[in-house]
Amino acid sequence: MDGQGASADPQLQHFIEIESQKQRFQQLVHQMTEVCWEKCMDKPGPKLDSRTEVCFVNCVERFIDTSQFILNRLEQTQKSRGGFSETMD
């Protein structure tokens, strides 16, 4: 033993962190799809009218911008803390 007790391999911690982030991102995509659908889809039909299409595009673009901001912020936070953070859920 190297005296670190039950600490996990740093590569394993990194893998788990990445997979957790992927899962959170997928959950966000699902939530945003639901939000955009509720916000933009008044009356389902065989095709989207232009107003509904514009609403979906704007909703998705806001989601992408927000997601990119969050991912960049997480990356900056991880770099400033030197890697794995035990405070992240």
Side-chain angles (χ1 to χ4, degrees):
M1 290 267 172
D2 58 8
Q4 292 182 353
S7 10
D9 175 6
Q11 287 181 322
L12 178 60
Q13 286 182 339
H14 182 70
F15 174 78
I16 291 170
E17 183 177 357
I18 296 297
E19 291 302 309
S20 294
Q21 287 177 357
K22 286 179 186 177
Q23 182 181 19
R24 285 191 296 268
F25 184 77
Q26 288 173 343
Q27 289 170 341
L28 284 172
V29 169
H30 178 75
Q31 290 171 346
M32 203 58 191
T33 300
E34 192 173 317
V35 166
C36 290
W37 183 267
E38 290 297 319
K39 177 179 175 48
C40 299
M41 199 64 190
D42 292 333
K43 46 187 183 293
K47 59 187 251 182
L48 297 178
D49 62 26
S50 61
R51 184 183 142 278
T52 304
E53 187 174 348
V54 167
C55 181
F56 273 118
V57 168
N58 288 336
C59 189
V60 170
E61 286 179 350
R62 280 195 311 271
F63 170 70
I64 291 170
D65 290 344
T66 302
S67 296
Q68 189 61 50
F69 173 80
I70 291 168
L71 290 173
N72 288 341
R73 185 71 176 126
L74 285 172
E75 188 176 290
Q76 289 172 357
T77 301
Q78 288 174 349
K79 284 181 182 176
S80 70
R81 291 185 180 173
F84 185 76
S85 171
E86 294 178 2
T87 60
M88 292 180 64
D89 291 347

